[in-house]
Amino acid sequence: MTTDCMLDRRRLVKALMRQRGDAAVVTGLGAPTYDCFAAGDSNLNFYLWGGMGGAAMLGLGLALAQPDRRVIVVTGDGEMMMGIGSLGTIAAQMPTNLGILVLDNEMFGETGQQVGLTGVQSGIAEMALGAGISRAFTIREESEVAELIMAVTEGKGPIVCVAKVQSGKDPVALPSCDGVLLHHRFRKAVISSS
Ligand SMILES: Cc1ncc(C[n+]2csc(CCOP(=O)(O)OP(=O)(O)O)c2C)c(N)n1
C-alpha cells in the first residue's frame, strides 16, 4: 500500500449510505460488503459473496432494468480490476442512474493483503475514462469525500469514483451468506418500491 491510501473506508461508506435514499446497492465481495453491512443492513442491499469481477455488470443490469432508481455499486480495486472490461460495456450502455464507488486500498485485503495492480501502475479512474466513461475521478483527501458522495448518489451516470482507502483493520461485519435469502429479499424490496 502506498502512502496515498489514507481515507477511513468505514466512515466514508457510512456517510455514503446516509445519503443513498432508495438506491439499490450492490456490494463487491470482501471488505466492501462488510463496510456496507456495518453501515446498516437494508433489503435494498445486494451483497456479493462471490462472483469476483461481476459487481459492476450486476449494477449495469439493475440500472437498465430500473431506470428510475439510483443504482450504486460499492466494490474493491481487486474486484473491479477483475471485471475491468465491464467498464467498456457500461460506457456503451450509458446508464445515467449508475454510480460506481471503488474502495481502492491497492491490495487484496480479503486474501492476505497481496499488492494489487493499483498499487503498482494502474489507475482505475483513468481506465474508466479510457473505456469511455465520461466522468471518473480519484480522491485521496477527507475534504473531497462530500463531492464523491454527491457524484455516486446523484451525479449523471455512469460515474466511476475511486477513493484511496486504508487497508481494512476494521472489525469484520458479516451479513447473511444465504444467497437465496439475499436474492429474494432484494428482489421483493426492489419490486415493491418501484
Ligand atoms: C474468481 C476469484 N478469484 C479469487 C478470489 C479470492 N478473493 C476473494 S476476495 C479477493 C480480493 C478482493 O480484493 P478487493 O476487491 O481489492 O477488496 P479488499 O478486500 O481489498 O477491500 C480475492 C482475491 C475469488 N473469491 N474469486
Side-chain angles (χ1 to χ4, degrees):
M1 185 179 77
T2 68
T3 50
D4 250 9
C5 297
M6 296 305 291
L7 293 167
D8 181 325
R9 58 189 301 153
R10 285 275 160 100
R11 197 159 62 213
L12 192 159
V13 170
K14 200 168 181 186
L16 171 75
M17 291 303 171
R18 272 200 298 268
Q19 284 181 232
R20 68 183 283 184
D22 69 348
V25 175
V26 176
T27 70
L29 83 176
T33 283
Y34 314 151
D35 296 334
C36 290
F37 180 67
D41 192 20
S42 164
N43 290 345
L44 283 168
N45 287 358
F46 191 69
Y47 305 113
L48 284 173
W49 280 94
M52 189 167 172
M57 281 310 260
L58 210 155
L60 171 63
L62 262 173
L64 295 176
Q66 293 272 311
D68 297 327
R69 184 193 296 280
R70 190 72 181 180
V71 175
I72 297 172
V73 174
V74 180
T75 192
D77 52 284
E79 204 278 343
M80 188 68 251
M81 286 298 284
M82 189 168 271
I84 201 73
S86 62
L87 295 178
T89 307
I90 290 167
Q93 293 289 326
M94 278 195 290
T96 54
N97 55 331
L98 179 62
I100 298 175
L101 168 61
V102 180
L103 298 166
D104 184 1
N105 58 4
E106 303 185 349
M107 62 174 68
F108 298 138
E110 180 74 1
T111 48
Q113 309 208 324
Q114 301 88 351
V115 177
L117 292 172
T118 60
V120 189
Q121 294 287 356
S122 303
I124 289 174
E126 291 76 5
M127 294 171 94
L129 292 172
I133 304 265
S134 56
R135 188 156 177 229
F137 62 91
T138 301
I139 70 161
R140 294 176 174 78
E141 312 284 340
E142 286 290 341
S143 59
E144 302 169 296
V145 167
E147 185 198 348
L148 175 136
I149 290 176
M150 188 79 89
V152 172
T153 57
E154 291 178 33
K156 187 162 183 272
I159 292 185
V160 175
C161 300
V162 179
K164 290 286 183 176
V165 296
Q166 288 174 337
S167 61
K169 294 275 185 285
D170 305 295
V172 174
L174 302 176
S176 167
C177 61
D178 180 338
V180 175
L181 181 147
L182 292 173
H183 167 81
H184 282 304
R185 73 171 203 161
F186 180 72
R187 188 165 181 276
K188 207 165 139 193
V190 168
I191 290 170
S192 66
S193 60
S194 332

